[in-house]
Amino acid sequence: MKALQITGYGDIQKNLKFSDVENPKIKSNEVLIEVYAAAINPVDYKIVEGALKRVRKLEFPAGTGFDVAGKIVEKGQGVTQFNIGDAVYSRVPTNAPGTFAEFVAVIAEVVSLKPTNLSFEEAAGLPLVGLTSVQALKTAQFKKGDKVLIHAGSGGIGTFAIQYAKSQGAYVYTTTSTKNVDWVKALGVDEVIDYKKQNYLDVVEDADIVFDTLGDPYTKDAFDVIKEGGHVVSIAGILDKQTAKDFGLNAIIRFILALKRLPVTMAMKRKSAHYNFIFMHPDSEQLDAIRELVEAGEIKPVVDKVYNFSDALEAYDYQKNGRAQGKVILKMK
């Protein structure tokens, strides 16, 4: 089969190559998915460039891609919840990437049936952004009626997180640029903040939750707009103490992170608030819940561009530099 593989850390154009490799052989708890579509996420180009090599080292050549939608063409003897021919979607485990290929072997426990009202391209864009949003609000102990600030509302995660938070009864603020205000507002946002004309720090007050998708300085500034005891959850800020420990980082690196985290730590104490860095994990039950929301019309995926698999390098560049409005998808079939 043909697969896109990482051959080394560094420049995307030099270190991503199409290769002919053997078809995956599945284990008893796995399914073999014929890939119809896969999504490119920021984490994909960050891995290639080496930005995450402290927490995830690769042996080259390495597979790439985590989101997938396709059909099951083979299943292990221990798999009973799926049938050959089932249309499915998944976010594969972090230690087993490889969805940018014609076939991928995935443990069945992280796979879910695809929403019936979506194309494969639309479904492929859901797993990572959906699971990240669900787990972020869960970590922040979200409850109906909470005021939630979601940064970068026009991005892949932003477009899903807005719809998910609204479906759960949140009052949602988001930030975006002037050109995106109207279509972001159409996602159901209660207050859209045009960052080219407004300072969100002057608009948002006493938020229960800030979902930080941008990192510094937004991570620290989040504590200026949350209420006493509020929650800041981040996918772009500095690692919190527990996450750094969970990643197995050595004591020296954890000490350096603690020093860099001091402004956040001081802001937390000032507001008696909470801060968590979240690293999304696959979860088929949460994918099932997302499917139900999609099929009920509560959430509609936002796809920016669909590229043919042969144009994957161009798609990577667009994801990195194109300020995508929604998801960037690779179409395999």
Side-chain angles (χ1 to χ4, degrees):
M1 70 170 185
K2 189 172 290 293
L4 191 62
Q5 293 190 310
I6 305 170
T7 58
Y9 292 123
D11 180 77
I12 290 172
Q13 297 294 326
K14 293 180 179 178
N15 292 286
L16 273 178
K17 306 290 183 184
F18 288 101
S19 304
D20 289 317
V21 300
E22 292 185 4
N23 282 8
K25 291 180 172 57
I26 63 170
K27 299 175 182 177
S28 64
N29 65 337
E30 293 180 330
V31 294
L32 184 65
I33 298 175
E34 183 178 11
V35 180
Y36 280 52
I40 295 180
N41 296 289
V43 67
D44 295 309
Y45 69 75
K46 290 177 182 179
I47 288 173
V48 178
E49 293 178 332
L52 303 179
K53 61 184 177 181
R54 285 185 175 180
V55 297
R56 183 173 181 269
K57 295 184 179 180
L58 301 178
E59 292 185 10
F60 303 113
T64 185
F66 296 94
D67 278 348
V68 63
K71 288 187 176 181
I72 293 176
V73 294
E74 188 179 342
K75 65 175 188 174
Q77 60 184 8
V79 177
T80 59
Q81 67 269 49
F82 297 111
N83 297 309
I84 303 300
D86 280 348
V88 295
Y89 75 141
S90 177
R91 196 285 189 179
V92 303
T94 301
N95 63 354
T99 63
F100 299 161
E102 293 178 296
F103 297 91
V104 62
V106 188
I107 55 173
E109 66 184 35
V110 301
V111 176
S112 177
L113 293 174
K114 178 183 77 67
T116 56
N117 57 339
L118 296 185
S119 67
F120 286 98
E121 291 80 19
E122 290 172 319
L126 282 177
L128 185 143
V129 298
L131 293 172
T132 301
S133 301
V134 170
Q135 291 168 21
L137 290 184
K138 182 178 180 180
T139 298
Q141 299 177 23
F142 169 83
K143 62 186 182 299
K144 185 176 181 179
D146 276 354
K147 294 166 63 177
V148 182
L149 168 62
I150 299 168
H151 280 298
S154 64
I157 287 179
T159 55
F160 185 96
I162 288 167
Q163 296 180 81
Y164 178 72
K166 287 301 299 179
S167 76
Q168 303 303 299
Y171 185 95
V172 177
Y173 301 90
T174 195
T175 56
T176 193
S177 62
T178 305
K179 66 178 182 178
N180 295 326
V181 167
D182 288 340
W183 79 269
V184 168
K185 188 177 295 184
L187 296 175
V189 180
D190 295 285
E191 293 191 50
V192 181
I193 302 163
D194 180 350
Y195 65 76
K196 291 184 177 292
K197 299 178 179 179
Q198 301 168 281
N199 185 341
Y200 77 95
L201 295 172
D202 297 329
V203 178
V204 183
E205 185 178 8
D206 290 334
D208 297 279
I209 300 168
V210 174
F211 186 9
D212 167 35
T213 62
L214 298 173
D216 283 340
Y218 297 89
T219 310
K220 178 179 177 294
D221 289 347
F223 295 93
D224 291 336
V225 299
I226 62 169
K227 68 179 185 180
E228 291 283 329
H231 292 258
V232 176
V233 286
S234 179
I235 58 170
I238 193 163
L239 298 186
D240 62 58
K241 182 178 180 180
Q242 186 59 49
T243 303
K245 186 176 180 180
D246 292 343
F247 277 161
L249 301 181
N250 65 47
I252 294 175
I253 294 177
R254 295 204 307 271
F255 176 72
I256 293 172
L257 287 173
L259 292 178
K260 291 183 177 180
R261 201 169 51 242
L262 273 176
V264 171
T265 302
M266 293 174 65
M268 285 171 58
K269 291 180 178 179
R270 187 178 74 248
K271 280 288 187 75
S272 300
H274 308 270
Y275 172 74
N276 296 95
F277 180 94
I278 64 164
F279 199 76
M280 186 275 302
H281 59 273
D283 189 308
S284 63
E285 290 186 2
Q286 291 176 348
L287 285 180
D288 288 341
I290 290 169
R291 182 186 70 242
E292 291 174 2
L293 289 170
V294 171
E295 291 179 345
E298 296 281 348
I299 293 175
K300 182 177 175 57
V302 179
V303 174
D304 185 337
K305 285 194 174 185
V306 177
Y307 289 84
N308 290 326
F309 183 41
S310 58
D311 297 321
L313 298 184
E314 181 183 344
Y316 260 84
D317 281 344
Y318 182 77
Q319 173 66 70
K320 181 180 178 182
N321 302 313
R323 304 183 71 83
Q325 297 176 333
K327 298 298 299 181
V328 178
I329 306 296
L330 291 181
K331 183 177 181 178
M332 311 297 292
K333 290 182 69 67

